[in-house]
Amino acid sequence: MTSPAPDAGVYISPAQTHAEVRRIADGQIRMEAKLDAILGDQREHRETIADHESRIRHLEANRWPLPTISAVGAIIAVVASVVPLIH
């Protein structure tokens, strides 16, 4: 096969076309690998966030006794200090 004359325009050989298609395919493979890595990291972060969320909810649910205990202690202290004054 002979190449066309120089004034016929741009000529891209099948080998050049194949090389460009391979380059694009290799780039797509690299992007897919990076995307898979990002999605894997995202899953790990979701699990970590869910774990932290459950821990925070547990801490919030169990902190209510502390103010109640403080209030009861304050009431007992007030009663203890008022009782001698009444007698």
Coordinates of all heavy atoms in Angstrom, one line a residue:
M1 N 0.8 -1.2 0.0 CA 0.0 0.0 0.0 C 0.9 1.2 0.0 O 1.8 1.3 0.8 CB -0.9 0.0 1.3 CG -1.8 1.1 1.3 SD -3.1 0.7 2.6 CE -3.2 2.2 3.3
T2 N 0.6 2.1 -0.8 CA 1.4 3.4 -0.9 C 0.7 4.5 -0.2 O -0.6 4.5 -0.1 CB 1.6 3.8 -2.4 OG1 0.3 4.0 -3.0 CG2 2.3 2.7 -3.2
S3 N 1.4 5.4 0.4 CA 0.8 6.5 1.1 C 0.4 7.5 0.1 O 0.9 7.7 -1.0 CB 1.8 7.1 2.1 OG 2.9 7.6 1.4
P4 N -0.7 8.2 0.4 CA -1.2 9.2 -0.5 C -0.3 10.4 -0.7 O 0.7 10.6 0.1 CB -2.5 9.7 0.1 CG -2.6 9.1 1.5 CD -1.5 8.1 1.6
A5 N -0.5 11.2 -1.7 CA 0.3 12.3 -2.0 C 0.2 13.3 -0.8 O -0.8 13.4 -0.2 CB -0.1 12.9 -3.3
P6 N 1.3 14.2 -0.7 CA 1.3 15.1 0.4 C 0.1 16.1 0.4 O -0.3 16.6 1.4 CB 2.6 15.8 0.3 CG 3.4 15.0 -0.6 CD 2.5 14.2 -1.4
D7 N -0.4 16.4 -0.8 CA -1.5 17.4 -0.9 C -2.9 16.8 -0.7 O -3.9 17.5 -0.7 CB -1.4 18.1 -2.2 CG -1.6 17.2 -3.4 OD1 -1.4 15.9 -3.2 OD2 -1.9 17.6 -4.5
A8 N -3.0 15.6 -0.3 CA -4.3 14.9 -0.2 C -4.8 15.1 1.2 O -5.9 14.6 1.5 CB -4.1 13.4 -0.5
G9 N -4.1 15.7 2.2 CA -4.6 15.9 3.5 C -3.9 15.1 4.5 O -2.8 14.6 4.2
V10 N -4.5 14.9 5.7 CA -3.8 14.2 6.7 C -4.1 12.7 6.6 O -5.2 12.3 6.3 CB -4.3 14.7 8.1 CG1 -3.7 13.9 9.3 CG2 -4.1 16.2 8.3
Y11 N -3.0 12.0 6.7 CA -3.1 10.5 6.6 C -2.8 9.9 8.0 O -1.7 10.2 8.5 CB -2.2 10.0 5.5 CG -2.2 8.5 5.5 CD1 -3.3 7.7 5.0 CD2 -1.1 7.7 6.0 CE1 -3.3 6.4 5.0 CE2 -1.1 6.4 6.0 CZ -2.2 5.7 5.5 OH -2.2 4.3 5.4
I12 N -3.7 9.1 8.6 CA -3.4 8.4 9.8 C -3.4 7.0 9.5 O -4.4 6.4 9.0 CB -4.4 8.8 10.9 CG1 -4.5 10.3 11.2 CG2 -4.2 8.0 12.2 CD1 -5.6 10.7 12.1
S13 N -2.3 6.3 9.8 CA -2.1 4.9 9.4 C -2.9 4.1 10.4 O -3.2 4.5 11.5 CB -0.7 4.5 9.4 OG -0.2 4.5 10.8
P14 N -3.3 2.9 10.0 CA -3.9 2.0 10.9 C -3.1 1.7 12.2 O -3.6 1.5 13.3 CB -4.1 0.7 10.1 CG -4.2 1.1 8.7 CD -3.2 2.3 8.7
A15 N -1.8 1.6 12.0 CA -0.9 1.4 13.2 C -1.0 2.6 14.2 O -1.1 2.4 15.4 CB 0.5 1.2 12.8
Q16 N -1.1 3.8 13.7 CA -1.2 5.0 14.5 C -2.6 5.0 15.2 O -2.7 5.3 16.4 CB -1.1 6.3 13.7 CG 0.3 6.5 13.3 CD 0.4 7.7 12.3 OE1 -0.5 7.9 11.5 NE2 1.4 8.5 12.4
T17 N -3.6 4.6 14.5 CA -5.0 4.5 15.0 C -5.0 3.5 16.1 O -5.6 3.7 17.2 CB -6.0 4.1 14.0 OG1 -5.9 5.1 12.9 CG2 -7.4 4.1 14.5
H18 N -4.4 2.3 15.9 CA -4.4 1.2 16.9 C -3.6 1.7 18.1 O -4.0 1.4 19.3 CB -3.7 0.0 16.3 CG -3.6 -1.1 17.3 ND1 -4.7 -1.8 17.8 CD2 -2.5 -1.6 17.9 CE1 -4.2 -2.7 18.6 NE2 -2.9 -2.6 18.7
A19 N -2.5 2.4 18.0 CA -1.7 2.8 19.1 C -2.5 3.8 19.9 O -2.5 3.8 21.2 CB -0.4 3.5 18.6
E20 N -3.3 4.7 19.3 CA -4.1 5.7 20.0 C -5.2 5.0 20.8 O -5.5 5.4 21.9 CB -4.6 6.7 19.0 CG -5.4 7.9 19.7 CD -4.6 8.7 20.6 OE1 -3.3 8.7 20.5 OE2 -5.2 9.5 21.4
V21 N -5.8 4.0 20.1 CA -6.9 3.3 20.8 C -6.4 2.6 22.0 O -7.0 2.5 23.1 CB -7.6 2.3 19.8 CG1 -8.5 1.3 20.5 CG2 -8.4 3.1 18.8
R22 N -5.2 2.0 21.9 CA -4.5 1.3 23.0 C -4.2 2.2 24.1 O -4.4 1.9 25.3 CB -3.2 0.5 22.6 CG -3.5 -0.7 21.8 CD -4.2 -1.8 22.5 NE -3.7 -2.1 23.8 CZ -4.3 -2.7 24.8 NH1 -5.6 -3.0 24.6 NH2 -3.8 -2.9 25.9
R23 N -3.7 3.4 23.8 CA -3.4 4.4 24.8 C -4.6 4.9 25.6 O -4.6 5.0 26.8 CB -2.7 5.7 24.1 CG -2.2 6.7 25.1 CD -1.6 7.9 24.4 NE -2.7 8.7 23.8 CZ -3.5 9.5 24.4 NH1 -3.4 9.6 25.8 NH2 -4.4 10.2 23.8
I24 N -5.7 5.1 24.8 CA -7.0 5.5 25.5 C -7.5 4.3 26.4 O -8.0 4.5 27.5 CB -8.0 5.9 24.4 CG1 -7.6 7.2 23.8 CG2 -9.4 6.0 25.0 CD1 -8.4 7.6 22.6
A25 N -7.4 3.1 25.9 CA -7.9 1.9 26.7 C -7.0 1.8 27.9 O -7.6 1.5 29.0 CB -7.8 0.7 25.8
D26 N -5.7 2.0 27.8 CA -4.9 1.9 29.0 C -5.2 3.0 30.0 O -5.3 2.7 31.2 CB -3.4 2.0 28.6 CG -2.9 0.7 27.8 OD1 -3.6 -0.3 27.9 OD2 -1.8 0.8 27.2
G27 N -5.5 4.2 29.5 CA -5.9 5.2 30.4 C -7.2 4.9 31.1 O -7.4 5.2 32.3
Q28 N -8.1 4.3 30.4 CA -9.4 3.9 31.0 C -9.2 2.9 32.0 O -9.9 2.9 33.1 CB -10.4 3.5 29.9 CG -11.8 3.1 30.4 CD -12.7 2.6 29.4 OE1 -12.3 2.5 28.2 NE2 -13.9 2.4 29.7
I29 N -8.4 1.9 31.8 CA -8.1 0.9 32.8 C -7.5 1.5 34.1 O -7.9 1.1 35.2 CB -7.1 -0.2 32.2 CG1 -7.9 -1.0 31.1 CG2 -6.6 -1.1 33.3 CD1 -6.9 -1.9 30.3
R30 N -6.6 2.5 33.9 CA -6.0 3.1 35.1 C -7.1 3.9 35.8 O -7.1 3.9 37.1 CB -4.9 4.1 34.7 CG -3.6 3.4 34.3 CD -2.4 4.3 34.2 NE -2.7 5.4 33.3 CZ -2.5 5.4 32.0 NH1 -2.0 4.4 31.4 NH2 -2.7 6.5 31.3
M31 N -8.0 4.6 35.1 CA -9.1 5.3 35.8 C -10.0 4.4 36.5 O -10.5 4.7 37.6 CB -9.9 6.2 34.8 CG -9.1 7.4 34.3 SD -10.1 8.6 33.5 CE -11.1 7.7 32.4
E32 N -10.3 3.3 35.9 CA -11.2 2.3 36.6 C -10.6 1.8 37.9 O -11.2 1.6 38.9 CB -11.5 1.1 35.7 CG -12.5 1.5 34.6 CD -12.7 0.4 33.6 OE1 -12.0 -0.6 33.6 OE2 -13.6 0.5 32.7
A33 N -9.2 1.5 37.8 CA -8.5 1.1 39.0 C -8.6 2.1 40.1 O -8.8 1.8 41.3 CB -7.1 0.7 38.7
K34 N -8.4 3.4 39.8 CA -8.4 4.5 40.7 C -9.8 4.6 41.3 O -10.0 4.8 42.5 CB -7.9 5.8 40.1 CG -6.5 5.8 39.8 CD -6.0 7.1 39.2 CE -4.6 7.1 38.9 NZ -4.1 8.3 38.2
L35 N -10.8 4.5 40.5 CA -12.2 4.6 40.9 C -12.5 3.5 41.9 O -13.2 3.7 42.9 CB -13.2 4.6 39.7 CG -14.6 4.8 40.0 CD1 -14.9 6.1 40.7 CD2 -15.4 4.7 38.7
D36 N -12.1 2.3 41.6 CA -12.3 1.2 42.5 C -11.7 1.4 43.9 O -12.2 1.1 44.9 CB -11.8 -0.2 41.9 CG -12.6 -0.7 40.8 OD1 -13.8 -0.2 40.7 OD2 -12.1 -1.5 40.0
A37 N -10.5 2.0 43.8 CA -9.8 2.3 45.1 C -10.5 3.4 45.9 O -10.7 3.3 47.1 CB -8.3 2.8 44.8
I38 N -11.0 4.4 45.2 CA -11.8 5.4 45.8 C -13.1 4.9 46.4 O -13.4 5.2 47.6 CB -12.1 6.6 44.9 CG1 -10.8 7.3 44.5 CG2 -13.2 7.5 45.4 CD1 -11.0 8.3 43.4
L39 N -13.8 4.0 45.7 CA -15.0 3.4 46.2 C -14.7 2.5 47.4 O -15.5 2.5 48.4 CB -15.7 2.6 45.1 CG -16.3 3.5 44.0 CD1 -16.9 2.6 42.9 CD2 -17.4 4.4 44.5
G40 N -13.6 1.8 47.4 CA -13.2 1.0 48.6 C -12.9 1.9 49.8 O -13.4 1.5 50.9
D41 N -12.2 3.0 49.6 CA -12.0 3.9 50.7 C -13.3 4.5 51.2 O -13.5 4.7 52.4 CB -11.1 5.0 50.3 CG -9.6 4.6 50.0 OD1 -9.3 3.5 50.5 OD2 -8.9 5.3 49.4
Q42 N -14.2 4.8 50.3 CA -15.5 5.4 50.7 C -16.3 4.4 51.6 O -16.9 4.7 52.6 CB -16.3 5.7 49.5 CG -17.6 6.4 49.8 CD -18.4 6.8 48.6 OE1 -18.2 6.2 47.5 NE2 -19.4 7.6 48.8
R43 N -16.2 3.1 51.3 CA -16.9 2.1 52.1 C -16.3 2.0 53.5 O -17.0 1.9 54.5 CB -16.8 0.7 51.4 CG -17.7 0.5 50.2 CD -17.7 -0.9 49.7 NE -18.2 -0.9 48.3 CZ -17.4 -1.0 47.2 NH1 -16.1 -1.1 47.4 NH2 -17.9 -1.0 46.0
E44 N -15.0 2.1 53.5 CA -14.3 2.0 54.8 C -14.7 3.3 55.7 O -14.9 3.2 56.9 CB -12.8 2.0 54.7 CG -12.2 0.7 54.1 CD -10.7 0.8 53.8 OE1 -10.1 1.7 54.3 OE2 -10.3 -0.1 53.1
H45 N -14.8 4.4 55.0 CA -15.1 5.6 55.7 C -16.6 5.6 56.2 O -16.9 6.0 57.3 CB -15.0 6.9 54.8 CG -13.5 7.2 54.6 ND1 -12.6 7.4 55.6 CD2 -12.9 7.4 53.4 CE1 -11.4 7.6 55.0 NE2 -11.5 7.7 53.7
R46 N -17.4 5.0 55.4 CA -18.8 4.8 55.8 C -18.9 4.0 57.1 O -19.7 4.3 58.0 CB -19.7 4.2 54.7 CG -20.5 5.2 54.0 CD -21.5 4.5 53.1 NE -21.6 5.2 51.9 CZ -21.7 4.8 50.7 NH1 -21.7 3.5 50.5 NH2 -21.8 5.6 49.7
E47 N -18.2 2.9 57.1 CA -18.2 2.0 58.2 C -17.7 2.7 59.5 O -18.2 2.6 60.6 CB -17.4 0.7 58.0 CG -18.0 -0.2 56.9 CD -17.0 -1.3 56.5 OE1 -15.9 -1.4 57.0 OE2 -17.4 -2.1 55.6
T48 N -16.6 3.5 59.3 CA -16.0 4.2 60.4 C -17.0 5.3 60.9 O -17.2 5.4 62.2 CB -14.7 4.9 60.0 OG1 -13.8 3.9 59.5 CG2 -14.1 5.7 61.1
I49 N -17.7 6.0 60.0 CA -18.6 7.0 60.4 C -19.8 6.3 61.2 O -20.3 6.8 62.2 CB -19.1 7.8 59.2 CG1 -18.0 8.7 58.7 CG2 -20.3 8.6 59.5 CD1 -18.2 9.4 57.4
A50 N -20.3 5.2 60.7 CA -21.4 4.5 61.3 C -21.0 4.0 62.7 O -21.8 4.2 63.7 CB -21.8 3.3 60.5
D51 N -19.7 3.6 62.9 CA -19.2 3.2 64.2 C -19.2 4.4 65.1 O -19.6 4.3 66.3 CB -17.8 2.5 64.1 CG -17.3 2.1 65.4 OD1 -18.0 1.5 66.2 OD2 -16.1 2.5 65.7
H52 N -18.7 5.5 64.6 CA -18.6 6.7 65.5 C -20.0 7.2 65.8 O -20.2 7.6 67.0 CB -17.8 7.8 64.7 CG -16.4 7.5 64.7 ND1 -15.5 8.3 63.9 CD2 -15.6 6.6 65.2 CE1 -14.3 7.9 64.0 NE2 -14.3 6.8 64.8
E53 N -20.9 7.1 64.9 CA -22.3 7.6 65.2 C -22.9 6.7 66.3 O -23.5 7.3 67.2 CB -23.1 7.4 63.9 CG -24.5 7.9 64.0 CD -24.6 9.4 64.2 OE1 -23.7 10.1 63.7 OE2 -25.6 9.9 64.7
S54 N -22.7 5.4 66.2 CA -23.3 4.5 67.3 C -22.6 4.8 68.6 O -23.3 4.8 69.7 CB -23.2 3.1 66.9 OG -21.8 2.7 66.9
R55 N -21.3 5.1 68.6 CA -20.7 5.4 69.9 C -21.2 6.7 70.5 O -21.4 6.8 71.7 CB -19.1 5.5 69.7 CG -18.5 4.2 69.5 CD -17.0 4.4 69.2 NE -16.3 3.2 69.2 CZ -14.9 3.1 69.2 NH1 -14.2 4.3 69.1 NH2 -14.3 2.0 69.2
I56 N -21.3 7.7 69.6 CA -21.8 9.0 70.1 C -23.2 8.8 70.7 O -23.6 9.4 71.7 CB -21.7 10.0 69.0 CG1 -20.3 10.4 68.7 CG2 -22.5 11.3 69.4 CD1 -20.1 11.3 67.5
R57 N -24.1 8.1 69.9 CA -25.5 7.9 70.4 C -25.5 7.2 71.8 O -26.2 7.5 72.7 CB -26.2 7.1 69.4 CG -26.4 7.8 68.1 CD -27.8 8.1 67.8 NE -27.9 8.7 66.5 CZ -28.2 9.9 66.2 NH1 -28.5 10.8 67.2 NH2 -28.3 10.4 65.0
H58 N -24.6 6.2 71.9 CA -24.5 5.5 73.2 C -24.0 6.4 74.3 O -24.6 6.4 75.4 CB -23.5 4.3 73.1 CG -23.3 3.5 74.3 ND1 -24.3 2.7 74.8 CD2 -22.3 3.5 75.2 CE1 -23.9 2.1 75.9 NE2 -22.7 2.6 76.2
L59 N -23.1 7.3 74.1 CA -22.6 8.2 75.1 C -23.7 9.2 75.4 O -23.9 9.6 76.6 CB -21.3 9.0 74.6 CG -20.1 8.1 74.5 CD1 -19.0 8.9 73.8 CD2 -19.6 7.7 75.9
E60 N -24.4 9.7 74.4 CA -25.5 10.7 74.7 C -26.6 10.0 75.5 O -27.2 10.7 76.4 CB -26.0 11.2 73.4 CG -25.1 12.2 72.7 CD -25.6 12.6 71.3 OE1 -26.6 11.9 70.8 OE2 -25.1 13.5 70.8
A61 N -26.9 8.8 75.3 CA -28.0 8.1 76.0 C -27.6 7.8 77.4 O -28.4 7.8 78.3 CB -28.3 6.8 75.3
N62 N -26.3 7.6 77.7 CA -25.8 7.3 79.0 C -25.4 8.5 79.9 O -24.9 8.3 81.0 CB -24.7 6.3 79.0 CG -25.3 4.9 78.5 OD1 -26.4 4.6 78.7 ND2 -24.4 4.1 77.9
R63 N -25.4 9.7 79.3 CA -24.9 10.8 80.1 C -26.0 11.5 80.9 O -25.7 12.3 81.8 CB -24.3 11.9 79.2 CG -25.2 12.7 78.5 CD -24.5 13.8 77.7 NE -25.6 14.6 77.1 CZ -25.7 15.9 77.2 NH1 -24.7 16.5 77.6 NH2 -26.7 16.5 76.6
W64 N -27.3 11.2 80.7 CA -28.4 11.8 81.5 C -28.3 11.5 83.0 O -28.7 12.4 83.8 CB -29.8 11.4 80.9 CG -30.1 10.0 81.2 CD1 -30.0 8.9 80.4 CD2 -30.8 9.5 82.4 NE1 -30.4 7.8 81.0 CE2 -30.9 8.1 82.2 CE3 -31.2 10.1 83.6 CZ2 -31.5 7.3 83.2 CZ3 -31.8 9.3 84.6 CH2 -31.9 7.9 84.4
P65 N -27.8 10.4 83.5 CA -27.8 10.2 85.0 C -26.9 11.2 85.7 O -27.1 11.6 86.8 CB -27.2 8.8 85.2 CG -27.5 8.1 83.9 CD -27.4 9.2 82.8
L66 N -25.8 11.7 85.1 CA -24.9 12.6 85.8 C -25.6 13.9 86.2 O -25.5 14.3 87.4 CB -23.7 12.9 84.9 CG -22.8 11.7 84.6 CD1 -21.7 12.1 83.6 CD2 -22.3 11.1 85.8
P67 N -26.3 14.6 85.4 CA -27.0 15.8 85.9 C -28.1 15.5 87.0 O -28.3 16.2 87.9 CB -27.7 16.4 84.7 CG -26.9 15.9 83.5 CD -26.4 14.6 83.9
T68 N -28.7 14.3 86.8 CA -29.7 13.9 87.8 C -29.1 13.6 89.1 O -29.6 14.1 90.2 CB -30.5 12.7 87.2 OG1 -31.0 12.9 86.0 CG2 -31.6 12.3 88.2
I69 N -28.0 13.0 89.1 CA -27.3 12.7 90.3 C -26.8 14.0 91.0 O -26.9 14.1 92.2 CB -26.1 11.7 90.1 CG1 -26.6 10.3 89.7 CG2 -25.2 11.6 91.3 CD1 -25.6 9.4 89.2
S70 N -26.3 14.9 90.2 CA -25.9 16.2 90.8 C -27.1 16.9 91.4 O -26.9 17.6 92.4 CB -25.3 17.1 89.7 OG -24.2 16.4 89.1
A71 N -28.2 16.9 90.7 CA -29.4 17.6 91.2 C -29.9 17.0 92.5 O -30.2 17.7 93.5 CB -30.5 17.6 90.2
V72 N -29.9 15.7 92.6 CA -30.3 15.0 93.8 C -29.3 15.3 94.9 O -29.7 15.5 96.1 CB -30.5 13.5 93.5 CG1 -30.6 12.7 94.8 CG2 -31.6 13.2 92.6
G73 N -28.1 15.3 94.6 CA -27.1 15.6 95.6 C -27.2 17.0 96.1 O -27.1 17.3 97.3
A74 N -27.5 18.0 95.3 CA -27.7 19.4 95.7 C -29.0 19.5 96.6 O -29.0 20.2 97.6 CB -27.9 20.2 94.5
I75 N -30.0 18.8 96.2 CA -31.3 18.8 97.1 C -31.0 18.2 98.4 O -31.4 18.8 99.5 CB -32.4 18.0 96.3 CG1 -32.8 18.8 95.1 CG2 -33.6 17.8 97.3 CD1 -33.8 18.1 94.2
I76 N -30.2 17.1 98.5 CA -29.9 16.5 99.8 C -29.1 17.5 100.6 O -29.3 17.6 101.8 CB -29.2 15.1 99.6 CG1 -30.2 14.1 99.0 CG2 -28.6 14.6 100.9 CD1 -29.5 12.8 98.6
A77 N -28.1 18.2 100.0 CA -27.3 19.1 100.7 C -28.1 20.3 101.2 O -27.9 20.7 102.4 CB -26.2 19.6 99.8
V78 N -29.1 20.7 100.5 CA -29.9 21.8 100.9 C -30.8 21.4 102.1 O -30.9 22.1 103.1 CB -30.8 22.4 99.8 CG1 -31.9 23.3 100.3 CG2 -29.9 23.1 98.7
V79 N -31.4 20.2 102.0 CA -32.2 19.6 103.0 C -31.4 19.4 104.3 O -31.8 19.8 105.4 CB -32.9 18.3 102.6 CG1 -33.5 17.6 103.8 CG2 -33.9 18.6 101.5
A80 N -30.2 18.9 104.1 CA -29.3 18.7 105.3 C -28.9 20.0 106.0 O -28.7 20.0 107.2 CB -28.1 17.9 104.9
S81 N -28.8 21.0 105.2 CA -28.4 22.3 105.8 C -29.6 23.0 106.4 O -29.5 23.8 107.4 CB -27.7 23.2 104.8 OG -28.6 23.5 103.8
V82 N -30.8 22.8 105.9 CA -32.0 23.4 106.4 C -32.5 22.7 107.7 O -33.1 23.4 108.6 CB -33.1 23.5 105.3 CG1 -34.4 24.0 105.9 CG2 -32.6 24.4 104.2
V83 N -32.4 21.4 107.8 CA -33.0 20.6 108.9 C -32.4 21.1 110.2 O -33.2 21.3 111.2 CB -32.7 19.1 108.7 CG1 -33.0 18.3 110.0 CG2 -33.6 18.6 107.5
P84 N -31.1 21.4 110.4 CA -30.7 21.9 111.7 C -31.3 23.3 112.0 O -31.5 23.6 113.2 CB -29.2 22.0 111.6 CG -28.8 21.1 110.5 CD -30.0 21.1 109.6
L85 N -31.5 24.1 111.0 CA -32.1 25.4 111.3 C -33.5 25.3 111.8 O -34.0 26.2 112.5 CB -32.0 26.3 110.0 CG -30.6 26.6 109.5 CD1 -30.7 27.3 108.2 CD2 -29.9 27.4 110.5
I86 N -34.3 24.3 111.3 CA -35.7 24.2 111.7 C -35.8 23.6 113.1 O -36.6 24.0 113.9 CB -36.4 23.2 110.7 CG1 -36.5 23.9 109.3 CG2 -37.8 22.9 111.2 CD1 -37.1 23.0 108.3
H87 N -34.9 22.8 113.6 CA -35.0 22.2 114.9 C -34.4 23.1 115.9 O -33.9 23.6 116.5 CB -34.3 20.8 114.9 CG -35.0 19.8 114.2 ND1 -36.4 19.8 114.0 CD2 -34.6 18.6 113.7 CE1 -36.7 18.7 113.3 NE2 -35.7 17.9 113.1

